[in-house]
Each structure stands twice: as structure tokens, then as C-alpha cells.
Amino acid sequence: MTKQVQQLDRVIIRFAGDSGDGMQLTGDRFTAETAEFGNDISTLPNFPAEIRAPAGTLPGVSSFQLHFADHDILTPGDAPNVLVAMNPAALKANLADLPRGADIIANTDEFTKRNLQKVGYADNPLEDGSLDEWRLHKVPLTSMTVQALEGSGLSKKDAERAKNMFALGLLSWLYHRPTEATIKFLEQKFAKKPDIAKANIAAFQAGWNFGETTESFSVSYEIKPAKLESGVYRNISGNVALAYGLIAASKQSGLPLFLGSYPITPASDILHELSKHKRFGVRTFQAEDEIAGVGAALGASFGGALGVTTTSGPGVALKAETVGLAVATELPLIIVDVQRAGPSTGMPTKTEQTDLLMAMFGRNGESPLPIVAPASPSDCFDAAIEAARLATKYRTPVMLLSDGYLANGSEPWRLPNVADLPDLRVEFATETNDESGFQPFKRDPETLARPWAVPGTEGLEHRIGGLEKSDGAGNISYDPANHDLMVRLRQAKIDGIAKDIPPLAVDDPTGDARVLVLGWGSTYGPIAAAVRRVRAAGGKVAQAHLRHLNPLPANTGEVLKAYDRVLLPEINLGQLSLLLRARFLVDIIGYNKVRGLPFKAEELAGVIQEVIDSE
Amino acid sequence: MSEFKALSLVPKAEAKQTLKDFKSDQEVRWCPGCGDYAILAAVQSFLPELGLRRENIVFVSGIGCSSRFPYYMNTYGFHSIHGRAPAIATGLAASRPDLSVWVVTGDGDALSIGGNHLIHALRRNVNLNILLFNNRIYGLTKGQYSPTSEIGKITKSTPMGSLDKPFNPISLAVGAEATFVARTIDSDRKHLQSVLREAAAHQGTSLVEIYQNCNIFNDNAFEPLKDPDTRGEVTVPLVHGQPIVFGAEGSKAVRRAPGGGVEVVPTASIAPEEILVHDARNPDPSLAFALSRLDEPAFEHVPIGIFRQIERPSYDSLMAAQLDEAVAAKGEGDLGELLMSGDTWRIG
Ligand code: SF4
């Protein structure tokens, strides 16, 4: 049978199944095949908060969304074109996101009376006509997998477990993906269990062959490789990129990396990743609590290490006092906050941008610190290096605000050339800086940074602490004028960083837009995708994205005032809006949603268009 | 000069040091008569004995009267925040094996707000010396009862008497299976220094409880141990390898109690082989724990000395060994190689 081949410019697939169905692995493999093929990709896994929710139930559904295209893309996509539903729960949990007309590939074997009942389906949706508005492909994935593995010697249960590979094979055929790497991957993954490796490969191939022969798929699709900048690429998630950025910062600064951390979703993967890289001299310390994690990191910084602590919002709350100590002692420290939905425990696996004001102000006293926020998963690498640069150069704690969406999402990353990474070498104090003896708080006139004299340096023995200290000498001081001066000096040091960061860049191709859409952090992708849509429809809109939230780039006020309207979408109730309004007296229009999910490009495009139209 | 294994990586001073080398230029600001003065002087006059380079010694403290200590030492010092000194010192000691790191803390700092960090430092066994100044009161906040104050303590926050049972710091430390646990007293410099010597020599975390008199808010808290009329009958000196006897002419002895634990009996009433011989090196902490319970009821009998002193690899050395092992197995990390790890593809 010859089948029709149709050209598409982009596709969004969502694999959904039970936590035990191996959907993340399936998604990862499809991503790898797609990357190898040369499409641009963006992915977003979505797993249940429960480690093992009861099988077949709605809370147990795990999914993986993947957007790939023949051009560069910015988000994992708003709505899937294809849903692979491994069971009724997966269908029910995801159907609302699926536009009419999209393809549904349903594993009919799992649509049993019992499984339907578990999720509250009175009738089988595959049979009752309720899915008529979608293109439904009914595929008995489980039984065909078992059939394909007959004679393999595997038990029925073990054979069934390979059904995700059958699905992967089918999808790989449907989108013309290269398969060699997956076969090799399965051989390696199950190197110690050759039976299982063979079965998975057989299931994978059976899925492919099924696509070729079945009548339920009459069309297959081709998506041409994207024209991306030349270079070597790999797919990377935000958490791994952030970990690599910290290792790179350690190498570039010559400071050994010390991570003090306590496990917390969604930041733990940074701890896991760094723990693998002891060859780089990386010390990872799993502390007894969040406070000890940051305390140990600060102690290591005092000793001349690159001290880092990684956490999420609840952990930042606990660390606040120690971060204040780092502000007072003016020691370098990086606090990574992978933001998640709050308040309190909130929704640990869901994303939010609600810790900005805590990062700014969540300490006692006047305690300013720089805040850096990455814009995409791969940007976490550069943002970590930037945080380390500011921390070491200005001897200050730096807050690095990632979030759950960046942490777990992934995209292709054009690998930087190691030789091009910034030089972060630090000079420790080695000699006395004053006739009266060593003055630990005598500042560099340019940066206002104090000398970093580490234990082991002869003649520079000194004591620091959280008590107010005299300007220069650093002795305990309760002098009112001195305190006023020190408060202002610490503020001036952080404010002065504005001179050392790039100005806020505006993207306005026509140069005459009257509306500016501004963002920070992980909203970059959806905002940029929305801006493209608006422009493609003839709308004029300028876009700018803040990477440094404190201090703000020196030209921020100027940029904001140059537009009639400034729209600021945030996944909070307007935290950056509040700061910008207060600081620049600009009437920011906020667009705020806190659903634990990233914005959709289409939704933002509508909002931008509305603001343009209201002009 | 010390040849202690615990300090083998700490550079030694070339010249002979004196007490003066360790005095900072800061005016000492404890209340006149405070026990902290005696401890400071004892530490300052003991450190030259170690012969370590002054710049390789760090004192880390939390908050409280005792935590002012680092300001008065001409070494590196970090006066941190309430309760967190063990955590901060852990990061420092784990990343800098060439330093001799000392934590100075008090009963409120270590056992109340910082209790969690203390027990974890003890079980982890990082190369630290923790000096716990126990005055059984909050001094800096002006006299509230502390987690070591006796039940019924009348203070500003407990006008009708405190209700909660105090911690026995030694029992707590032994319960956390600390590798070195000792008790000494501010007024006995010789004993204090002998304990500091053993603590410094110990690889891993050493906890030294120092009874310290707060003459302003809790004066004479340790009087039974200081009063010449009573101290002989109350103090139970612990010496490794020696039978535990005390009192006038060794009239009292410690033996195993029938119901478990230990008890004090007239020496004459038991056979000599029944007298407990102190074994600080016993890996099983049970007996050390039983000894720590001897001062219950309070101050009837108070063991002084080293309760427990066992060998267990320190956390920092194990951590360093893992790094070395990783490098030995696969060579030093190469950043370019790391970035290229995993599936990569080339475009253009
Ligand atoms: S209040 Fe007590 S412990 Fe504090 S300095 Fe005065 S006497 Fe010493």
C-alpha cells in the first residue's frame, strides 16, 4: 500500500499515560530522534506530584509534550495536534487541551469497563461518538505488543511493559523519525538484560511496521529540518543547564564549587546533577535542612569557595536569615530559587513567578542583593555564570530565579565554545590594605566591593559577622552615622551593578510600535511566540525582556517611558509591575495568571492585540 | 608542636607562639566576673601549644554572650547568626582541610535554636571542635530560662517557674553518637586545657561542654562543683582506663547498676573488680550515656572529663576521598567534554 506523505511546518505531540507507562522515556526518545533529524524542539514534561498514584487514576497521569518544527520555535506549544492516550485516565486528563480536529491515538486495550469506571466514564468514549470531532485512531497497543513478542520467552506482564516502545515506533513511522539511535539506546539501557532489550526493540519495530501496514493511518508526515545556527547541539533541561553553568563558573573563576542543599521539588535535580561531577572538584553537601544548606555554602564562601545553595520558594523563606548574613558580611553566595506554585507547600510540581518580591525584600533590614532570571532552559547555563560573576566580583549573595517550567522543560542548546566563556578569575586579598592594619571593609572605589581575604592568608586575620561594622576597619559599631553610611554603601554597591550589565534591549522591527510588551524569566518563550503572531497579522508591537531584576538595567525607565502602553504578563499577581510602577511611575498594564502553567502564545497574542486595539 | 592526625593538614607556625599572639585588639566586653573570661584566657594560652599558623585557625560562633568569643581571638573569625554556627563551620571545614575550625556556642544557641545543626554535626563527624559554654540561662537577652535550666527556674519569662525538662548536653551528644564528648569547667584551667588538647587531637567533631558561670543572671549555678566543701563529693573525674572512684580518699565508686545504667556506692561496700573502669574508647555508646545520667538528680554526682573518644573517619576526609576517587577513575573534569556529553548533533 502506498501512503500519502504530507508536509507540515510544525507538530505538537503529547504522550500521556499512567506514571508506570514510561511516558517520560518515550518522550525523551522521540525528542532525541527529532533532535537528530534536525528539527527545532521544545519539550515540557508534566508529572504527578505523587510518586506512585494508584494506577489508572487521574492523579496518576504523567505526560510529555513535545513541539518540533522546521523553523525555530520558542515554546513547547499551546495545544497538541496529537494526543497519545495510553488509558482512559490519560484521555480524560488531557482532552480539554486538545483542539477539535486533532488526532487521538488511543490504546483500546486499556479502555476496559473497570478502567473507565475508575475515571468516571459511564460509556466508552471510543465507542459512544463523543470523540467524533477529533480524528480518533483506535489502536490495541498492548495486545499488539504482546503479540509481537510471542515466542520471546517473556511473561505476558513483561511483554505488556514494552507497549510504550510500540507507541514510539508507531509515532516514529508517522513522522519519519530516524530509528537507529533508539535501537542503540535500548541495547545500552538494557545491556544487562538482553531479553528485555530485544523485546523493547521488537516492540519498537512492530510499532513502526504497524504504521506502515495499517489502514487506520493513511497519511504520514514530514517536517523538514530547521535552519538553525550552525554548531553542535544537544537537548538540555533548565536544571541540567543550571548545574553545568555552575560548574563552568567554578572552572572560569578558579574557585572550587561547594553546594549546600536540601532536597526540594523542583530543584533537587540540580543537586543530583552536581553530585555526579566530583571530578570537577565539586563538593555537594546534602544538609539536615534548608538553613544548614545555605549556612554551609556561606561557610565555604568564607573559606574561598564558590558557595551555592539550591532550593525552591519554601526553602528561600527558611534561608532568609543566612542570606541576610551574607549581605552583612559581604560574601559571595548564589541562591538558586526554582520557583513553584505557593503559598506554603502550594503545588510543588507546578510553575510560578511568585518569589520575585521575596527575593527582593524577604529579609530583615535594608538588605539589597542582585537578582538574575534565566529566560529559557538553555539560558539557565548563562544565567548561572552571570550570577557567579556578580557574586564574586561584588562580594554579594545573588538570587537566581529559575522556575518549574524552565527546570523541567528542555530545548536544543547550541553548545558554547569553552574558550569563549567569560573570565571570572577572582583576586583574593593577600596584603594589608591600610597603614593601621588590614581593613576588611575598605572598599574598591570602583565596585564598592570589599576585599575577600580567606583564612590561611597570613597577616589578614580578621573577624566578620552579622553585627553592624564600622566603615573600613569592620569593627563592631553602633554609631548612628556609621550605620546610616553602611546601609547606603551596601545599597550603592548593588545599585552600581547597573553600570556593569547590558542595557535593556528592545526588539521592534518596524521601529514605530506604540505598545511594548515586557517580560522576565520563563515567560520569554510564550511572549516572543505571541509577539511573532501579532506581527505576522500586521500588528506593531515592541518586545523587551529583563534578565536582571535587581538592579534593573540603567535604561529601563527610558525604555518604559518611550511607549504609550506597556504590557507586562507575569505568572503572579503583578510583582514586577508593582516594582516598576513604584520606581518609574509608569502605568504598567499587567496580565496575570497563576494556574501553575506557562502562558500560551495564542492567549498572549490576543492580549497584546487587545492592548494595541485599545490605543 | 602538635603531631595530631586531626591537624596534619594544617600548616605549622615557624616561630614559637605565646598567649599574646592570639589576643585581638578588641576590648573584651563581657560582664566583669563572667566565666567567659577564664575560658578565653585558657584557650588563648593553650593554642600556642598546638603550634598552628594563626591564620589557619578559625573561630565560628552563633549568637549569645559566648558567641562574642571570635572577636577577641587574633585568628580568622565569623560571628554568625543564632544557632547556625555548626552549619557554617561544616561548610568551611568540609572545603578547607588545612584549617583548624572551632565553634563557640552556648546552651541556648546550640541546644535550642540550633539543636538540629548540633546533632547533625555530631553524627556527621566533620573535623570541628565545638565548645559549648553552658551557663544554664539566656544572658544576652537578659535572663530567660534556657534549655539547660532546671525545672522550676524562676526567670522573667517564667515568673511561676519553668515547666520543661532540661537537656543534658552530654546525654544528647552521646545519643547522637558523637565521636568525642567531654565536660569541663571554667574555673579549672588545667582540666579545661587538658580536654581542649584531646579535642584538638581528635579527628572528627568534638563536643566539649564547659560549665560557665553567668554571675549576672545565674550566679553560682555550678557552686557544688566549685565550693571546696562539696566539690570532692560531687565531682566524678573520668579518666580513660582508670576505675571511677571519687570523694574523700576515694570513698565512693561507680559500678554497673543491677537495672542497667550505673550507680554510686561506697567503695568499701563492693569488691574492687566491681568498680567500673572508664572506657572512653568503647564504640558502644551505652556506658557513656549511663555515666552522663549520673548527675540526675542534678549535682548529686557530676562526671567531669572525656566520656567518649572513638575513631570514625571524618566527613570532610571521606568527602575529599570521593573527589580523589572520581579523579583517579576518570581524570580531572573537562568542561568541553561535559557539555558534549549525551546525544549531540551538528548543524551546518
Ligand atoms: S550576662 Fe552572664 S554570660 Fe553574659 S557576659 Fe554577663 S555574666 Fe557573662
Side-chain angles (χ1 to χ4, degrees):
Chain A
M1 186 171 62
T2 42
K3 294 202 171 184
Q4 210 186 320
V5 177
Q6 200 179 317
Q7 299 291 325
L8 295 176
D9 63 345
R10 62 190 196 105
V11 179
I12 301 162
I13 301 177
R14 187 181 292 177
F15 295 95
D18 201 61
S19 317
D21 285 344
M23 290 297 98
Q24 303 303 326
L25 177 72
T26 312
D28 278 342
R29 279 322 307 166
F30 196 89
T31 304
E33 292 174 1
T34 299
E36 192 197 335
F37 183 74
N39 294 122
D40 196 14
I41 328 162
S42 176
T43 74
L44 184 67
N46 189 355
F47 10 78
E50 291 77 15
I51 303 304
R52 288 272 182 271
T57 61
L58 289 172
V61 174
S62 160
S63 71
F64 187 100
Q65 183 163 317
L66 163 97
H67 183 187
F68 60 105
D70 66 0
H71 55 277
D72 79 306
I73 49 172
L74 298 155
T75 74
D78 290 355
N81 309 112
V82 185
L83 171 69
V84 178
M86 300 299 282
N87 65 8
L91 177 68
K92 189 155 197 194
N94 292 287
L95 192 61
D97 295 340
L98 211 62
R100 319 267 136 163
D103 289 278
I104 298 172
I105 300 172
N107 178 13
T108 50
D109 291 325
E110 292 293 322
F111 283 69
T112 60
K113 206 161 164 202
R114 199 161 157 260
N115 285 350
L116 290 165
Q117 262 169 6
K118 264 193 208 167
V119 293
Y121 276 126
D123 295 306
N124 187 345
L126 305 184
E127 309 295 344
D128 67 2
S130 61
L131 299 177
D132 283 354
E133 288 173 70
W134 287 272
R135 289 199 298 196
L136 178 62
H137 307 271
K138 294 190 276 185
V139 184
L141 283 168
T142 313
S143 50
M144 282 199 299
T145 305
V146 173
Q147 220 174 4
L149 299 184
E150 243 167 48
S152 68
L154 245 53
S155 70
K156 184 159 170 266
K157 214 172 138 218
D158 277 344
E160 281 179 358
R161 288 171 59 102
K163 63 180 180 290
N164 62 332
M165 287 300 116
F166 189 97
L168 179 64
L170 174 57
L171 272 286
S172 301
W173 168 80
L174 193 58
Y175 294 100
H176 296 216
R177 302 290 97 183
T179 55
E180 298 76 30
T182 293
I183 293 171
K184 207 184 256 162
F185 167 86
L186 290 170
E187 281 166 354
Q188 271 166 12
K189 181 170 165 74
F190 299 109
K192 291 204 183 108
K193 296 176 187 156
D195 285 4
I196 306 279
K198 252 180 125 176
N200 274 286
I201 293 167
F204 177 65
Q205 284 164 336
W208 177 285
N209 295 340
F210 171 75
E212 227 163 31
T213 50
T214 181
E215 278 167 27
S216 92
F217 293 94
S218 54
V219 189
S220 67
Y221 304 95
E222 247 176 33
I223 298 92
K224 294 249 152 59
K227 281 184 203 67
L228 299 172
E229 240 184 294
S230 67
V232 177
Y233 284 75
R234 65 175 282 176
N235 200 52
I236 198 145
S237 70
N239 272 347
V240 174
L242 204 152
Y244 285 5
L246 292 172
I247 294 173
S250 160
K251 274 266 172 188
Q252 296 303 102
S253 63
L255 304 176
L257 182 61
F258 184 97
L259 174 74
S261 187
Y262 186 77
I264 186 170
T265 303
S268 302
D269 277 342
I270 306 175
L271 165 65
H272 303 159
E273 186 61 38
L274 287 174
S275 300
K276 290 186 212 161
H277 301 294
K278 300 192 196 306
R279 290 166 58 205
F280 289 83
V282 176
R283 286 178 157 82
T284 54
F285 171 65
Q286 183 176 317
E288 59 271 23
D289 60 24
E290 295 279 359
I291 300 173
V294 67
L298 185 62
S301 284
F302 179 61
L306 182 62
V308 181
T309 189
T310 49
T311 188
S312 185
V316 177
L318 285 164
K319 293 177 198 292
E321 191 189 13
T322 311
V323 177
L325 179 65
V327 170
T329 52
E330 303 191 41
L331 284 169
L333 176 70
I334 300 173
I335 305 106
V336 178
D337 176 4
V338 185
Q339 300 167 93
R340 67 187 216 191
S344 188
T345 310
M347 302 193 287
T349 55
K350 306 295 171 196
T351 197
E352 226 164 68
Q353 293 184 300
T354 40
D355 293 349
L356 176 60
L357 293 181
M358 173 165 69
M360 272 302 279
F361 303 119
R363 292 165 296 284
N364 62 308
E366 297 286 355
S367 53
L369 50 70
I371 303 171
V372 177
S376 73
S378 67
D379 188 41
C380 289
F381 179 82
D382 297 308
I385 292 177
E386 175 65 358
R389 181 184 77 89
L390 296 179
T392 52
K393 182 168 175 185
Y394 294 89
R395 327 282 201 237
T396 174
V398 175
M399 199 71 81
L400 183 54
L401 287 184
S402 177
D403 63 29
Y405 171 60
L406 295 179
N408 293 318
S410 77
E411 63 179 358
W413 177 37
R414 196 167 67 93
L415 297 179
N417 196 338
V418 171
D420 299 338
L421 294 176
D423 181 355
L424 303 181
R425 260 173 297 176
V426 178
E427 275 181 38
F428 292 133
T430 51
E431 307 176 353
T432 302
N433 56 357
D434 196 85
E435 291 133 42
S436 65
F438 179 60
Q439 299 221 327
F441 283 82
K442 187 168 174 176
R443 293 165 194 279
D444 178 301
E446 179 91 10
T447 60
L448 296 183
R450 75 176 191 90
W452 190 3
V454 302
T457 315
E458 191 180 352
L460 305 191
E461 294 85 354
H462 66 282
R463 277 64 56 190
I464 58 170
L467 285 169
E468 185 60 285
K469 39 210 96 25
S470 61
D471 181 30
N475 294 324
I476 300 171
S477 168
Y478 285 87
D479 179 59
N482 176 74
H483 178 56
D484 188 78
L485 175 69
M486 290 297 276
V487 167
R488 287 172 199 280
L489 279 172
R490 287 186 288 259
Q491 185 69 49
K493 179 177 81 168
I494 302 306
D495 292 346
I497 292 173
K499 297 189 295 251
D500 193 17
I501 58 177
L504 178 59
V506 179
D507 170 46
D508 180 11
T510 58
D512 58 351
R514 297 316 309 147
V515 172
L516 172 74
V517 52
L518 181 72
W520 68 275
S522 71
T523 52
Y524 174 75
I527 293 176
V531 163
R532 274 188 195 171
R533 286 180 192 217
V534 170
R535 286 177 186 161
K540 285 181 179 175
V541 60
Q543 191 199 349
H545 204 75
L546 284 165
R547 173 190 201 66
H548 293 92
L549 283 313
N550 194 43
L552 293 161
N555 66 334
T556 306
E558 216 175 288
V559 168
L560 299 182
K561 288 181 177 142
Y563 292 87
D564 295 345
R565 311 247 155 141
V566 179
L567 171 68
L568 173 47
E570 292 183 82
I571 308 179
N572 58 41
L573 295 185
Q575 300 198 0
L576 181 60
S577 289
L578 180 80
L579 294 176
L580 296 178
R581 281 161 167 260
R583 172 96 186 268
F584 301 110
L585 303 176
V586 171
D587 188 19
I588 309 273
I589 305 166
Y591 181 72
N592 308 94
K593 273 200 170 171
V594 275
R595 291 157 39 81
L597 297 166
F599 285 120
K600 292 188 168 163
E602 190 185 334
E603 159 192 20
L604 288 183
V607 176
I608 296 169
Q609 195 57 54
E610 250 172 61
V611 175
I612 294 174
D613 294 345
S614 70
E615 269 265 293
Chain B
M1 286 229 191
S2 71
E3 289 308 329
F4 298 143
K5 192 171 151 214
L7 300 171
S8 62
L9 298 173
V10 184
K12 307 293 176 293
E14 279 118 49
K16 205 170 142 55
Q17 299 162 323
T18 68
L19 176 151
K20 258 174 60 196
D21 289 315
F22 290 96
K23 274 191 169 168
S24 79
D25 59 355
Q26 298 297 296
E27 189 192 332
V28 185
R29 296 235 182 105
W30 288 307
C31 307
C34 173
D36 289 351
Y37 284 96
I39 304 172
L40 177 65
V43 172
Q44 284 171 335
S45 65
F46 157 71
L47 281 178
E49 194 185 301
L50 292 181
L52 304 173
R53 293 184 74 110
R54 194 171 61 187
E55 63 269 24
N56 288 77
I57 301 175
V58 185
F59 279 83
V60 183
S61 66
I63 293 290
C65 290
S66 59
S67 286
R68 294 296 181 98
F69 198 94
Y71 287 113
Y72 309 135
M73 297 296 301
N74 193 11
T75 60
Y76 280 85
F78 199 157
H79 177 219
S80 74
I81 43 180
H82 210 9
R84 317 303 171 203
I88 290 170
T90 292
L92 181 63
S95 54
R96 290 286 305 269
D98 61 326
L99 301 178
S100 169
V101 182
W102 299 72
V103 169
V104 176
T105 181
D107 40 315
D109 195 52
L111 298 171
S112 205
I113 194 165
N116 197 33
H117 306 309
L118 181 76
I119 56 174
H120 287 277
L122 295 176
R123 80 170 166 88
R124 210 173 265 132
N125 204 34
V126 188
N127 207 11
L128 296 175
N129 306 299
I130 302 178
L131 308 183
L132 195 170
F133 296 13
N134 182 6
N135 57 15
R136 311 187 74 190
I137 199 79
Y138 281 90
L140 195 64
T141 50
K142 302 204 164 82
Q144 300 81 6
Y145 81 111
S146 91
T148 55
S149 297
E150 63 277 17
I151 295 178
K153 184 86 174 166
I154 308 269
T155 71
K156 276 181 236 167
S157 62
T158 50
M160 293 174 70
S162 62
L163 303 170
D164 31 342
K165 184 163 167 55
F167 267 138
N168 176 327
I170 302 291
S171 301
L172 186 83
V174 172
E177 294 188 54
T179 53
F180 184 101
V181 183
R183 175 187 285 144
T184 182
I185 184 159
D186 57 1
S187 53
D188 186 347
R189 176 180 294 203
K190 208 168 138 241
H191 189 263
L192 202 166
Q193 290 186 332
S194 73
V195 170
L196 291 179
R197 193 170 298 123
E198 294 297 320
H202 181 73
Q203 198 175 18
T205 307
S206 53
L207 179 97
V208 180
E209 180 190 21
I210 307 174
Y211 281 159
Q212 173 245 322
N213 193 39
C214 168
N215 53 312
I216 301 295
F217 295 110
N218 200 20
D219 200 12
N220 298 329
F222 306 102
E223 206 44 27
L225 290 164
K226 297 187 179 185
D227 183 342
D229 290 343
T230 55
R231 70 178 173 217
E233 298 303 310
V234 172
T235 312
V236 185
L238 298 179
V239 182
H240 176 70
Q242 297 294 319
I244 308 174
V245 290
F246 63 105
E249 283 149 28
S251 59
K252 297 180 188 176
V254 174
R255 70 161 182 187
R256 284 176 190 269
V262 295
E263 64 184 359
V264 173
V265 292
T267 311
S269 71
I270 56 173
E273 56 274 19
E274 259 191 275
I275 301 174
L276 188 66
V277 174
H278 183 45
D279 181 10
R281 313 272 151 81
N282 189 342
D284 180 346
S286 315
L287 214 51
F289 186 85
L291 284 170
S292 78
R293 308 311 298 164
L294 266 185
D295 60 345
E296 186 85 2
F299 291 109
E300 217 171 86
H301 310 106
V302 182
I304 293 282
I306 298 166
F307 288 73
R308 180 167 158 86
Q309 185 175 17
I310 63 153
E311 278 192 39
R312 181 170 7 120
S314 67
Y315 181 86
D316 44 288
S317 62
L318 294 170
M319 190 183 225
Q322 282 195 342
L323 264 54
D324 292 345
E325 199 183 307
V327 171
K330 286 189 173 164
E332 262 182 44
D334 178 287
L335 190 57
E337 212 173 87
L338 173 69
L339 301 187
M340 293 283 285
S341 60
D343 294 338
T344 59
W345 66 95
R346 178 174 285 283
I347 288 180

